[in-house]
Amino acid sequence: MTFHHEHFRQPFLRSPFIERIEALSSTENWTGWNTYKVPRVVDKLTSEYFAVRSGCAVMDLTPMEKYRISGNDAAAYLDRLVTRDISTLKPGRVTYIVWCNDDGKVIDDGTLFQLANNDYRLCAQHHQLDWLLMSASGFDVQIRTETSDVAALAVQGPTSYSVLTAAGIAGLDGLKPFGIANLRCDGIAVTVSRTGFTGDLGYEVWVEPQHALTIWDAIFGVQGQYDVVAMGLDALEMVRIEAGFIMPGFDFNTADATVRNGHDRSPYEIGLGWVVNLDKGHFTGRKALLAEKARPIQRRLTKIVVDGNKPVGEAFIYAGKNGKQIGEVRCTIWSPVLKANLALADIEYVNGKLSPKLWARFDYQRELKWHTAWAECHSQTKPFYTPDHRSATPPGRF
Amino acid sequence: MIERIDAIIIGAGHNGLVCASTLARTGMQVLCLESSDSAGGMSAPRSIGENYHFPGLAHASYPVSAAIRRELKLDQYGYVPGTAVDTIALDAAGQHLTIGTDRVAGDNLSEADEQAYPAFRKTYLAFAKAIRPLFDNKPPRLKDMDFADTATLAKLGWNVRLGLGRETMYEFLRVAAINIYDVLNEEFEDDRLKAAIAVDAILGSAMGPRSPGTVLTWLQRLQGEINGPLSLQSGGQAQLAHALTQSAESAGVTIQLNTHVEKILIENGKAFGVQLTNGDMVKAKVIISNADPRSTFSDLVGAPQLDTMFANRVAQIRGSGVVAKLHLALNGLPEFTGLAESQLRNRLLVAPSMQYIEHAFNHSKYNECSENPVLEITLPSLHNSSLAPDGHHVMSVNVAFVPYALDGGWQQQKSTYAYKVISLLGQYAPNLTSLVVDHEFLTPQDIEEQFHAVQGHWHHGELSIHQSFMMRPLHGAAQYDTPVDGLFLCGAGCHPGGGLTGLPGHNAAKRVLKLGGAK
């Protein structure tokens, strides 16, 4: 018998896949994600990163917060919750969403899966049940956390289609990006969505927890044929920045976690204006966003490429070398594929415009000695890395 | 094409009529939609059968402010505030206490209490006057103040510091947020006297004398006394409803009775009309709701048109009615032990002690009816003999504390409880039970159903500190305009709250005009 007061003996929950990941872990480099034990690096960061970009990487997605939203008003409820028009979403399709508080500041982002009419799964980085329930008043909806009821694997990389097919999941050839298919693997029902957080060709496989290991074994069973690598969060951090995906709570402060005035961010301010539909009817934050849109742009989370190859780390952004300080780097990586310093930076606009000259000033260490460096930055609106094979249907057999 | 008028007011209660008449006087074209068959809301007269008539749910009130009377020409349309009445604190043994605005008298009253009373009243009336600027204006916002907000706060600061003087200000700041129980125990000895004052602080609220904030509720009530003494004159309230109707109609307001609004129509974040239950649609440039803010937002607007946090705050508004109304048709005048006939014209209270009130309140907290409720009794037919046939009388009784959601439901227990109240009255007026020809008992559920006040709350929401001033009815809609463009509130749920004051309606009209009227 377990007692609740004994929870401290097991500070992390164990995903149904964890014993396989533990067996592969040479680094024992673990961290927590929504109280689940997850690897930062399973074996080698470089091989995990390159598996995503040139092979197939597998990551345990079970800790992703998953909510089942159903009922007669489920569609109306979601349309009021999120900034995007979800009335155009169809069963068997997925869409990227973001939701705001009354002030039009972002609480979290996520993906919304329409499983059937008035039956949705919402996946979010952070715990959202309180906000989802608070938003439910006045709607005929049922909201249930199903994080631990569904085991999920991200299978990502150019060969992910080939790997899953070889693993026995037939019928993926027609599945388009953001599509959902109910298929079988070794006689087990699996749901496969063509979604991911890597910017590469990739799938997410959803299965009942008791079949989790069977599916894992089927996928890793093709290792002789294909390079299949278990991947941790550190490699994910690299590929998601290359793909231009943002991480709530890291690249911007989420509204529910913001105490200080002005430290939260609107969808526009974090570059998600494209998911805001002000014409679809009312949603939480609409009035505030309409007002924001009528004002000159104040700031944007901006994709920048920083010249040189010194690690940027934490840096301020200036309007020109030795110019006025106008921003801060939120996240940065050295991209092995692009051979460039990539960063997302929160940059203040002047008179509604981005400064034409952007320079970063940062400190770096060489043999323990600190140096200060200036490097010019080049902003861009497109994701840093968008390979063609990412969206080809049917996917290529690599 | 449907014509678009300037303003629709939902609900022809007295605040709706004040708002309508004020706006119409500026030349706006105003349509007032009322679901019942008469205008006036809680101030509209009621009847039992053909022969017995009652002043309405509100049987006692203070005069409407001079400014509203003047502006809406109410006196010209027959408004009479009525004559002053005293309050008689009934005692089972017949040792009653007569309490006026500046004097108290009765058997076994200590000299100390008798002397302390006028000074006490003077002090609290001064407190009430000091905070008056808050009531006559929209509640000031603390962030993004406009000039009017700054002016209100400046007047308030001036009144409290310089008007009251240093010592009195200290006393005001000490008591403003505490409970009436502590204050009255400091001031007086006599249970009857303390209870009678406490009744004025808590009647209509789900609060006992020991509840925090009951000094504030009393100060809110005393706002009425600034205009004049408590009036029971039968038909006086009916006259208010009548005078307001006349005032509104003469200013060009169309009052449409028996018209139910089902939905406020909103497009692109702006209210543009209302949908009636008969399917008709009426368009207007502004929509002003005199309905309870909870039903306005939850039912008429609906959650899909509101932001999550705002809708959540609406759902959290506290306001569950705890007062029932008993109307009695009598075939003779009741004889109260120890009271002369002439004294029956006053307001009579059954509330022997603050402890008694607190006990009665406790029952309502647990969804029970108290066996020993607080009663506020009036005999309107003594002021207007036309309310009942010759020699017959009508009695109107507020019964507190009676829960909205009675355990086991009202259906089974309503008449049993009404008879319990009648027999309690019989302890003070022994011949009463034999005189009762007919009765009507309105539980908070009945009040909700018939007056569209959510959970039967007189004031469309508790007058607690956290729901007062810039938090009334809730943050985001405290200055009469709402998150929905073109939609305003004007009812008792708004600042400065309930009572037959007309102030919410008047303040709302000023706000509508300030924000551009029907432009």
Side-chain angles (χ1 to χ4, degrees):
Chain A
M1 185 166 184
T2 28
F3 292 95
H4 286 295
H5 65 259
E6 302 251 316
H7 64 88
F8 68 92
R9 294 188 196 284
Q10 194 191 321
F12 287 128
L13 295 174
R14 292 173 62 78
S15 142
F17 299 110
I18 196 68
E19 55 190 273
R20 293 291 188 271
I21 304 170
E22 284 171 341
L24 292 171
S25 174
S26 63
T27 60
E28 297 292 342
N29 186 353
W30 305 103
T31 187
W33 174 18
N34 287 336
T35 69
Y36 279 88
K37 178 181 179 181
V38 289
R40 281 188 202 280
V41 177
V42 180
D43 183 27
K44 282 187 227 41
L45 176 60
T46 321
S47 69
E48 289 165 33
Y49 167 83
F50 277 108
V52 179
R53 289 295 175 231
S54 57
C56 177
V58 177
M59 196 182 127
D60 183 5
L61 268 191
T62 308
M64 173 83 79
E65 291 285 4
K66 299 180 276 292
Y67 301 97
R68 194 63 168 262
I69 297 168
S70 52
N72 291 329
D73 289 344
Y77 164 81
L78 286 163
D79 243 329
R80 193 283 210 105
L81 179 79
V82 306
T83 60
R84 206 168 189 179
D85 183 3
I86 64 120
S87 66
T88 54
L89 190 65
K90 294 194 166 50
R93 297 290 297 166
V94 184
T95 191
Y96 173 68
I97 51 167
V98 59
W99 51 100
C100 298
N101 67 7
D102 292 18
D103 301 328
K105 302 299 183 182
V106 177
I107 292 175
D108 204 354
D109 69 348
T111 43
L112 183 68
F113 294 67
Q114 184 163 5
L115 304 175
N117 273 329
N118 278 327
D119 188 15
Y120 298 85
R121 175 179 296 149
L122 189 155
C123 296
Q125 168 84 5
H126 299 288
H127 190 78
Q128 292 296 324
L129 189 64
D130 49 350
W131 182 257
L132 296 180
L133 289 177
M134 197 197 279
S135 302
S137 146
F139 292 91
D140 176 16
V141 282
Q142 292 80 49
I143 298 162
R144 186 167 62 82
T145 304
E146 55 175 20
T147 304
S148 60
D149 302 339
V150 185
L153 285 178
V155 181
Q156 305 278 314
T159 62
S160 53
Y161 166 73
S162 303
V163 166
L164 288 177
T165 308
I169 302 179
L172 290 175
D173 40 316
L175 189 62
K176 291 180 181 156
F178 293 104
I180 306 171
N182 292 311
L183 304 169
R184 301 194 85 79
C185 177
D186 276 359
I188 296 165
V190 292
T191 301
V192 181
S193 56
R194 191 167 162 186
T195 46
F197 202 54
T198 62
D200 220 297
L201 174 67
Y203 298 87
E204 288 167 348
V205 181
W206 314 78
V207 65
E208 288 181 33
Q210 70 264 32
H211 300 306
L213 293 179
T214 313
I215 299 301
W216 178 281
D217 292 342
I219 292 169
F220 280 83
V222 303
Q223 258 181 328
Q225 232 179 316
Y226 296 97
D227 186 24
V228 183
V229 174
M231 161 188 164
L233 289 178
D234 285 5
L236 184 73
E237 174 71 1
M238 297 172 71
V239 294
R240 71 99 184 167
I241 293 173
E242 287 178 341
F245 294 137
I246 57 169
M247 196 82 98
F250 296 91
D251 299 339
F252 68 96
N253 223 41
T254 56
D256 57 338
T258 302
V259 177
R260 290 163 187 84
N261 200 17
H263 286 208
D264 44 11
R265 292 288 179 264
S266 77
Y268 296 121
E269 290 172 332
I270 56 173
L272 295 181
W274 62 278
V275 289
V276 179
N277 185 335
L278 293 170
D279 302 322
K280 69 163 184 167
H282 189 78
F283 60 88
T284 297
R286 179 178 180 269
K287 200 173 179 183
L289 292 174
L290 268 172
E292 184 188 335
K293 223 179 168 202
R295 294 190 298 262
I297 295 175
Q298 279 198 308
R299 60 174 77 250
R300 287 287 183 268
L301 189 66
T302 310
K303 297 180 194 74
I304 52 173
V305 179
V306 185
D307 283 351
N309 60 7
K310 298 185 184 76
V312 176
E314 292 145 353
F316 287 114
I317 302 292
Y318 296 80
K321 194 176 181 181
N322 294 313
K324 188 173 176 261
Q325 184 191 310
I326 53 168
E328 296 161 22
V329 165
R330 290 277 175 262
C331 63
T332 174
I333 54 146
W334 170 260
S335 166
V337 163
L338 300 168
K339 306 282 183 286
N341 262 324
L342 311 179
L344 296 176
D346 193 62
I347 301 178
E348 280 173 41
Y349 278 38
V350 181
N351 298 326
K353 289 205 161 43
L354 179 64
S355 164
K357 285 277 176 206
L358 296 173
W359 281 73
R361 198 191 77 167
F362 54 98
D363 301 326
Y364 66 99
Q365 234 178 345
R366 197 168 274 163
E367 293 181 333
L368 294 183
K369 183 169 169 44
W370 283 101
H371 304 268
T372 296
W374 284 90
E376 189 164 9
C377 310
H378 309 277
S379 71
Q380 67 176 71
T381 47
K382 288 227 164 68
F384 300 113
Y385 181 72
T386 38
D388 288 341
H389 63 254
R390 167 195 192 181
S391 45
T393 308
R397 290 188 164 276
F398 296 102
Chain B
M1 161 136 183
I2 301 164
E3 192 196 357
R4 203 169 87 148
I5 57 169
D6 289 338
I8 290 171
I9 294 184
I10 302 168
H14 81 287
N15 278 312
L17 293 172
V18 167
C19 188
S21 188
T22 308
L23 292 178
R25 267 153 221 286
T26 69
M28 279 173 71
Q29 185 191 2
V30 184
L31 173 65
C32 197
L33 302 173
E34 168 60 40
S35 64
S36 74
D37 56 6
S38 63
M42 292 185 189
S43 63
R46 291 180 74 83
S47 301
I48 297 181
E50 305 255 301
N51 296 325
Y52 299 94
H53 309 289
F54 297 83
L57 195 67
H59 64 197
S61 76
Y62 295 96
V64 173
S65 79
I68 294 177
R69 277 165 75 174
R70 198 168 47 240
E71 195 178 321
L72 304 187
K73 303 190 166 74
L74 293 185
D75 295 28
Q76 189 181 313
Y77 296 110
Y79 174 64
V80 182
T83 50
V85 291
D86 289 338
T87 294
I88 296 181
L90 295 177
D91 176 72
Q95 299 192 326
H96 309 305
L97 211 56
T98 304
I99 304 162
T101 51
D102 53 5
R103 76 202 136 74
V104 55
D107 300 331
N108 293 331
L109 181 71
S110 75
E111 204 171 307
D113 277 356
E114 198 177 337
Q115 282 170 5
Y117 183 73
F120 173 76
R121 293 286 308 203
K122 203 175 145 214
T123 304
Y124 277 76
L125 202 59
F127 291 167
K129 282 178 180 162
I131 59 172
R132 182 75 197 181
L134 280 174
F135 291 78
D136 287 332
N137 296 287
K138 70 183 165 83
R141 265 196 304 238
L142 296 182
K143 206 178 137 194
D144 307 325
M145 279 189 256
D146 60 15
F147 177 73
D149 292 344
T150 315
T152 302
L153 285 176
K155 274 187 245 171
L156 177 71
W158 178 275
N159 284 0
V160 169
R161 178 62 189 85
L162 298 169
L164 292 178
R166 182 199 291 259
E167 292 305 316
T168 319
M169 176 186 77
Y170 286 162
E171 176 64 3
F172 171 73
L173 294 176
R174 183 180 76 87
V175 301
I178 67 171
N179 65 59
I180 196 81
Y181 181 87
D182 288 346
V183 169
L184 292 172
N185 276 332
E186 286 168 10
E187 301 279 347
F188 301 111
E189 300 163 353
D190 195 288
D191 279 341
R192 297 164 298 178
L193 177 60
K194 289 189 277 192
I197 300 170
V199 165
D200 278 350
I202 54 90
L203 194 64
S205 301
M207 299 179 190
R210 293 185 197 175
S211 302
T214 38
V215 170
L216 184 74
T217 47
W218 194 47
L219 290 177
Q220 284 170 329
R221 188 179 164 104
L222 284 178
Q223 295 304 318
E225 208 169 294
I226 297 173
N227 302 335
L230 186 71
S231 152
L232 290 194
Q233 183 188 348
S234 163
Q237 285 70 50
Q239 279 172 26
L240 174 64
H242 181 74
L244 278 172
T245 307
Q246 297 281 305
S247 164
E249 283 180 340
S250 72
V253 176
T254 309
I255 301 172
Q256 203 171 306
L257 302 175
N258 301 309
T259 307
H260 292 255
V261 173
E262 185 167 275
K263 221 55 191 163
I264 293 169
L265 300 169
I266 297 162
E267 195 173 26
N268 203 15
K270 182 170 187 342
F272 68 92
V274 296
Q275 172 90 52
L276 307 178
T277 45
N278 66 12
D280 286 355
M281 190 168 86
V282 193
K283 289 185 176 181
K285 291 171 190 164
V286 292
I287 314 295
I288 305 161
S289 175
N290 186 30
D292 189 304
R294 291 171 285 181
S295 47
T296 300
F297 290 120
S298 303
D299 304 335
L300 299 180
V301 172
Q305 294 293 343
L306 298 169
D307 285 355
T308 290
M309 289 152 81
F310 184 85
N312 192 54
R313 286 199 296 276
V314 170
Q316 307 294 328
I317 291 176
R318 197 199 290 172
S320 188
V322 285
V323 187
K325 188 62 173 296
L326 177 66
H327 285 146
L328 294 178
L330 307 172
N331 60 14
L333 188 64
E335 288 162 15
F336 280 78
T337 312
L339 284 187
E341 193 181 314
S342 63
Q343 288 177 295
L344 298 181
R345 294 169 61 88
N346 293 304
R347 177 175 74 137
L348 315 179
L349 292 183
V350 173
S353 69
M354 292 202 288
Q355 194 80 341
Y356 176 100
I357 305 173
E358 193 73 30
H359 268 302
F361 167 54
N362 279 350
H363 285 283
S364 71
K365 284 197 291 194
Y366 306 110
N367 291 333
E368 300 159 3
C369 279
S370 172
E371 298 281 315
N372 297 296
V374 173
L375 305 179
E376 184 193 54
I377 306 153
T378 65
L379 282 152
S381 50
L382 286 175
H383 297 262
N384 179 352
S385 57
S386 71
L387 296 181
D390 270 356
H392 290 224
H393 284 278
V394 291
M395 183 186 265
S396 172
V397 185
N398 277 323
V399 185
F401 291 81
V402 170
Y404 168 74
L406 179 64
D407 268 349
W410 273 112
Q411 188 102 38
Q412 304 292 322
Q413 304 172 75
K414 187 168 144 173
S415 55
T416 322
Y417 190 66
Y419 282 110
K420 267 186 192 162
V421 175
I422 294 171
S423 67
L424 175 65
L425 284 164
Q427 291 179 23
Y428 296 86
N431 72 336
L432 181 86
T433 45
S434 65
L435 301 176
V436 177
V437 179
D438 206 347
H439 82 275
E440 174 187 57
F441 189 66
L442 299 169
T443 69
Q445 272 182 20
D446 297 321
I447 293 170
E448 174 178 68
E449 219 176 279
Q450 297 184 29
F451 298 91
H452 302 282
V454 176
Q455 297 185 312
H457 200 285
W458 286 358
H459 308 315
H460 292 189
E462 203 65 84
L463 286 166
S464 48
I465 288 183
H466 78 289
Q467 294 182 168
S468 292
F469 308 121
M470 60 287 280
M471 275 126 28
R472 185 166 187 87
L474 73 162
H475 171 61
Q479 294 196 319
Y480 310 100
D481 48 316
T482 70
V484 180
D485 292 339
L487 174 65
F488 292 79
L489 300 175
C490 74
C494 303
H495 172 81
L500 298 185
T501 65
L503 287 171
H506 195 240
N507 287 350
K510 286 195 283 186
R511 183 70 174 158
V512 170
L513 295 169
K514 172 82 183 166
L515 294 182
K519 280 190 205 79

